[in-house]
């Protein structure tokens, strides 16, 4: 299958592009490299040293004999996007190419507008490019579990059947996102759903939980293929941050009471889930939603698990409950379904098996690259 991976220079996109290439798909990467630019602007950097995209792709070819096409540009530029898809002729598009940090989107008006215009316009352009040129192309879009928020009832996969005043309907599950970034994903979902309904497009929205780990079969093949691992207060996510904090001797930064429960998955499962969604495409006119995660944890428990695993490496770790920079519930019900991907054959990696080989070992290897000034959160929700 010809698969265009938009955002293929990023954390999830790079690992996925290599995995799909390894599995025999013909892969193209489209990326504006804007994430590298935002890192420079914020003066932050991945803990692991990532090579320029051209070098990464060349190394992959040298190692495996497999080529990956490269398109560098912005999907908000419709002429560029159109030219790229017409050249590549995709059977499927996997769309990772968005601004994905909640704190970044909450810095100020400028960053909120940048996040929503980049994400919503880019996604809408993709919908038009598919409709006008490849109406049969399957769009696999990365959404987020954070679209649902933390409701006091079970979270279904995209839809919920409701009875109201004696009538019954299956409707999109209510959305209560917690940042302007998470809101942008809700806007995307609505636009894709509408496009499937009116134009008959086929799409899968992968509502992904927080991804952890840095190692996949392919990125582990060579140092030049290494993936990014963010640990700073803007782009670093909970578990990845805790492991790096453990490695550098910084107290683990649990925000507030630590009762915030989220859905998580290993990056090795991210790449597999995308593959599973591609292998069994949505039907024409179908807006399919999969909740893409394997386990649920609250952040306080996560910190304690990291502390325990780190002690086996001789690391003394302190867990600290610091003032929560976000506005979010700290004690709440959270129970989400995730059967669709399991039914397609996903065999989850469990956190208890991954902490050392996919995280703490990398964190200790590259800890000399960490900038300790970038660990504490600086962006507040109000
Ligand atoms: P990332 O920042 O590492 O990668 C995103 C990539 O998209 C970058 O390489 C960036 O340059 C590119 N990009 C952004 N805007 C673009 C544009 N307008 N045109 C072309 N390229 C553009 O992010 P990630 O962690 O790999 O996340 C990828 C996707 O997965 C995002 O949509 C994110 O919302 C979603 N997601 C991520 C996580 C996670 O924990 N990392 C969890 C759930 C969902
Ligand atoms: N948290 C801490 N300490 C930290 C960092 C985070 O306690 O040092 C807490 C946060 O307050 C929050 C939870 O951990 O309650 C998750 O925060 P996060 O930064 O790990 O994840 P989030 O902001 O939700 O965003 C990340 C990705 C985003 C993706 C989302 C999936 O950056 O792209 O959409 O995870 S989900 O959370 O399921 O919506």
């Amino acid at each position: 299958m010809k698969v265009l991976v938009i955002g293929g220079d990023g954390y999830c996109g790079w690992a996925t592009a290599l995995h799909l290439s390894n599995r025999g798909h013909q892969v193209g990467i489209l990326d504006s490299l804007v994430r590298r630019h935002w890192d420079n602007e914020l003066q932050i950097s991945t803990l692991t040293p990532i090579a320029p995209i051209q070098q990464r792709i060349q190394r992959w070819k040298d190692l495996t004999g497999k080529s990956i096409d490269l398109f560098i540009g912005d999907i908000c530029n419709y002429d560029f996007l159109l030219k790229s898809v017409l050249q590549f002729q995709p059977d499927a598009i996997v769309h990772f190419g968005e601004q994905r940090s909640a704190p970044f989107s909450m810095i100020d008006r400028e960053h909120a507008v940048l996040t929503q215009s980049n994400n919503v316009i880019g996604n809408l352009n993709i919908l038009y490019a598919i409709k006008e040129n490849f109406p049969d192309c399957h769009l696999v879009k990365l959404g987020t579990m954070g679209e649902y928020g933390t409701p006091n009832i079970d979270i279904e996969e995209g839809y919920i059947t409701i009875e109201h005043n004696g009538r019954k309907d299956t409707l999109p599950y209510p959305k209560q996102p917690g940042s302007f970034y998470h809101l942008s994903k809700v806007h995307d979902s609505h636009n894709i759903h509408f496009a499937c309904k009116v134009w008959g497009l086929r799409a899968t929205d992968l509502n992904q939980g927080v991804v952890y780990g840095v190692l996949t079969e392919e990125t582990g093949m060579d140092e030049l293929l290494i993936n990014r691992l963010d640990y700073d207060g803007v782009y670093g996510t909970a578990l990845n941050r805790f492991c790096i904090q453990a490695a550098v001797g910084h107290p683990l930064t649990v925000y507030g009471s630590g009762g915030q429960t989220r859905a998580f998955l290993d990056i090795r499962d991210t790449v597999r889930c995308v593959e599973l969604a591609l292998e069994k495409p949505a039907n024409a006119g179908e807006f399919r939603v999969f909740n893409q995660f394997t386990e649920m944890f609250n952040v306080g428990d996560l910190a304690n698990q990291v502390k325990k695993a780190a002690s086996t490496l001789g690391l003394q770790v302190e867990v600290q409950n610091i003032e929560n920079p976000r506005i979010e519930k700290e004690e709440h019900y959270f129970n989400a379904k995730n059967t669709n991907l399991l039914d397609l054959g996903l065999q989850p990696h469990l956190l208890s098996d991954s902490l050392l080989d996919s995280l703490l070992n990398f964190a200790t290897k590259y800890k000399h690259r960490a900038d300790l000034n970038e660990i504490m959160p600086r962006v507040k929700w109000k």
Side-chain angles (χ1 to χ4, degrees), residues 311-322:
S311 71
T312 66
L313 299 177
L315 298 167
Q316 292 299 316
V317 174
E318 184 196 335
V319 176
Q320 217 172 55
N321 292 83
I322 62 170

Side-chain angles (χ1 to χ4, degrees), residues 6-13 30-36 38 73-76 95-100 118-119 122 141-145 181 185 206-212 228 230 235 237 265:
I6 298 182
D9 186 46
Y11 174 52
C12 302
L30 186 155
D31 201 299
S32 61
L33 311 184
V34 68
R35 178 58 211 284
R36 293 179 187 246
W38 290 328
D74 186 343
I75 54 170
C76 295
H95 178 24
F96 291 102
E98 300 204 324
Q99 192 305 99
R100 70 103 175 126
N118 183 67
N119 296 0
K141 164 69 167 51
L142 268 293
T144 177
M145 285 300 292
Y181 151 71
K185 306 297 255 192
L206 296 175
N207 279 346
Q208 185 170 238
V210 188
V211 183
Y212 62 82
R228 64 162 51 245
D230 300 308
Y235 275 101
T237 49
L265 75 164

Side-chain angles (χ1 to χ4, degrees), residues 100-103 143-147 181-182 185 208-211 235-239 241-242 245 253-255 260 262-264 299 324 326 328:
R100 70 103 175 126
S101 154
T144 177
M145 285 300 292
E147 292 185 39
Y181 151 71
H182 288 96
K185 306 297 255 192
Q208 185 170 238
V210 188
V211 183
Y235 275 101
T237 49
L239 183 54
R241 268 164 69 70
F242 292 163
Q245 291 164 357
T253 55
V254 172
Y255 297 168
Q260 305 92 306
R262 296 290 182 271
F264 292 83
V299 289
N324 195 338
R326 306 183 183 200
E328 61 185 359

Side-chain angles (χ1 to χ4, degrees), residues 117-287:
S117 55
N118 183 67
N119 296 0
V120 176
I121 295 170
N123 183 63
L124 198 50
N125 278 343
I126 293 172
L127 292 174
Y128 268 93
I130 293 177
K131 178 215 174 210
E132 286 170 2
N133 303 282
F134 311 95
D136 211 32
C137 176
H138 179 205
L139 173 63
V140 176
K141 164 69 167 51
L142 268 293
T144 177
M145 285 300 292
E147 292 185 39
Y148 302 116
T150 51
N152 200 28
I153 55 171
D154 292 347
I155 296 174
E156 305 296 321
E157 303 205 54
Y159 299 91
I160 183 166
T161 301
I162 298 178
E163 268 191 57
H164 181 62
N165 293 344
R167 300 184 65 80
K168 197 170 163 185
D169 202 354
T170 298
L171 299 166
Y173 195 94
K175 306 290 171 77
Q176 304 183 77
S179 74
F180 285 121
Y181 151 71
H182 288 96
L183 272 154
S184 75
K185 306 297 255 192
V186 174
H187 305 329
D188 287 345
S189 295
H190 288 150
N191 286 342
I192 302 170
H193 193 174
F194 181 71
C196 290
K197 213 159 40 184
V198 296
W199 299 331
L201 301 193
R202 53 179 88 233
T204 304
D205 204 358
L206 296 175
N207 279 346
Q208 185 170 238
V210 188
V211 183
Y212 62 82
V214 69
L215 185 64
T216 57
E217 183 189 335
E218 293 81 14
T219 61
M221 283 183 190
D222 189 274
E223 185 84 9
L224 274 180
L225 302 180
I226 202 166
N227 204 349
R228 64 162 51 245
L229 184 58
D230 300 308
Y231 66 94
D232 60 276
V234 173
Y235 275 101
T237 49
L239 183 54
N240 289 349
R241 268 164 69 70
F242 292 163
C243 288
I244 291 151
Q245 291 164 357
V248 300
H250 192 286
L252 308 194
T253 55
V254 172
Y255 297 168
S257 73
Q260 305 92 306
T261 304
R262 296 290 182 271
F264 292 83
L265 75 164
D266 189 305
I267 191 157
R268 289 173 286 198
D269 292 332
T270 293
V271 305
R272 178 70 183 133
C273 288
V274 173
E275 186 187 7
L276 288 170
L278 289 168
E279 280 171 359
K280 194 169 185 307
N283 297 319
E286 184 187 11
F287 176 64

Side-chain angles (χ1 to χ4, degrees), residues 2 171 209 225 292 294 336 352:
K2 294 194 80 172
L171 299 166
L225 302 180
Q292 181 166 312
T294 56
S352 47

